[in-house]
Amino acid sequence: MKNDPQSPVRRKPAGGVRSVRLTAVSNLGTVTFIANGAVCSLCEIADEGQVMECRPIEDESEFVEKLTADDGSFAVRHTLRVVSDRNGAEAWLEPEFLEESRCGGFVAVVELNDGRRLLAGYSSLFAGEQPLRITGIEVSSGRRPADVPTVTLGLESLDTAFAARLETE
């Protein structure tokens, strides 16, 4: 059922990112894809201790997928922007984290506020060859004394398909 502007019944919007689990692409185990790569199940992660749980600040983070066409060839740019309070994002500023992005890249399980879970940085066609890579990190002190200091992490990958929906295990 779509939101009909004429209807008195309205659905509450559910945009935004609830949580992000980020790990090095080399730490990802077996992934099985079905439905032409649109759905997958994450079978294993080599070392759960290497998974970074990101708790975004409410109403600040987003996951955007943009399909573009060039002479009949399609590309999908996956952009993940995670905003966290400074205390929850210290690991993003560590040299090892930056080096992992440069050398191997990341895979993310992005849980959206509508309940969907998507696998970004890994696909049925490319596997881990097109991982998420850091596009920028912004550290902000805030402007007012009541502002929470934040860190914004930008990650992107380029693929030929939208992120696969992750089945519940």
Side-chain angles (χ1 to χ4, degrees), residues 23-154:
T23 193
V25 71
S26 61
N27 192 40
L28 193 64
T30 305
V31 178
T32 304
F33 288 92
I34 57 175
N36 292 326
V39 179
C40 67
S41 62
L42 186 63
C43 297
E44 62 183 60
I45 290 180
D47 183 358
E48 280 288 336
Q50 296 297 313
V51 176
M52 186 179 301
E53 298 279 346
C54 306
R55 296 288 174 207
I57 293 175
E58 191 172 338
D59 299 333
E60 294 292 327
S61 301
E62 67 179 344
F63 181 62
V64 177
E65 297 180 287
K66 182 178 180 181
L67 180 123
T68 57
D70 184 20
D71 290 330
S73 296
F74 294 106
V76 178
R77 181 169 306 279
H78 307 271
T79 305
L80 178 60
R81 187 176 149 273
V82 184
V83 182
S84 183
D85 70 74
R86 175 77 189 246
N87 293 330
E90 289 293 327
W92 299 348
L93 307 175
E94 297 292 328
E96 296 83 9
F97 183 76
L98 301 173
E99 184 68 10
E100 184 61 48
S101 175
R102 187 179 72 77
C103 294
F106 298 102
V107 175
V109 174
V110 181
E111 183 179 1
L112 304 177
N113 282 332
D114 66 5
R116 286 180 298 146
R117 292 172 51 221
L118 304 173
L119 184 64
Y122 197 95
S123 68
S124 62
L125 180 61
F126 294 112
E129 293 179 17
Q130 296 287 58
L132 292 165
R133 298 206 187 263
I134 294 174
T135 58
I137 297 177
E138 181 179 312
V139 181
S140 173
S141 65
R143 289 176 273 191
R144 298 177 297 273
D147 288 348
V148 174
T150 61
V151 179
T152 302
L153 172 65

